Amino acid sequence: QVRLVESGGGLVQAGGSLRLSCAASGTIVSIAVMGWYRQAPGKQRELVATITSGAGTYYTDSVRDRFTISRMGAKNTAFLEMNSLKPEDSGVYYCYGRSYRAVEYWGQGTQVTVSS
């Protein structure tokens, strides 16, 4: 039973920073891809960033150059450094992982609220 647990969300003023962490608990597996999704009220969940085991990264256009994703592959741990936060960044952020056998894992989400 693999579970991804997020932490680091909270309330921050526009222009501030937050660092989200995601740690695996339960059965340890090798995760090929880790990432972060977010969902704002009334909107669909969107992919924010991903990072592969080879450290290749992807960012959605709205966060590129402001957010940085990183991981500790051996520990199946991911981080999302969020800088220059905007109110539009507010939402529930979910950690995501996919094993080499294409099994997906999700965290329960952590709330990020950016005040104007």
Side-chain angles (χ1 to χ4, degrees):
Q1 298 185 27
V2 174
R3 180 185 177 187
L4 302 178
V5 181
E6 305 96 336
S7 63
L11 175 65
V12 64
Q13 293 183 2
S17 300
L18 285 173
R19 184 174 185 264
L20 305 183
S21 299
C22 173
S25 64
T27 304
I28 303 300
V29 299
S30 296
I31 300 179
V33 180
M34 300 193 75
W36 293 89
Y37 287 74
R38 69 185 180 188
Q39 187 168 23
K43 297 184 179 180
Q44 292 186 326
R45 186 177 298 185
E46 66 171 341
L47 178 64
V48 177
T50 61
I51 184 167
T52 68
S53 60
T57 59
Y58 163 84
Y59 299 93
T60 191
D61 288 343
S62 63
V63 309
R64 189 173 294 112
D65 299 325
R66 297 189 298 117
F67 292 11
T68 302
I69 188 171
S70 60
R71 68 178 290 177
M72 296 289 292
K75 298 181 179 180
N76 291 327
T77 303
F79 306 93
L80 186 68
E81 189 77 32
M82 304 185 294
N83 300 308
S84 302
L85 283 163
K86 305 175 181 179
E88 303 92 270
D89 296 318
S90 297
V92 179
Y93 283 69
Y94 298 89
C95 184
Y96 165 85
R98 178 165 57 84
S99 76
Y100 287 94
R101 296 188 178 185
V103 178
E104 295 182 336
Y105 306 95
W106 290 90
Q108 293 186 348
T110 184
Q111 178 70 47
V112 172
T113 303
V114 184
S115 62
S116 60

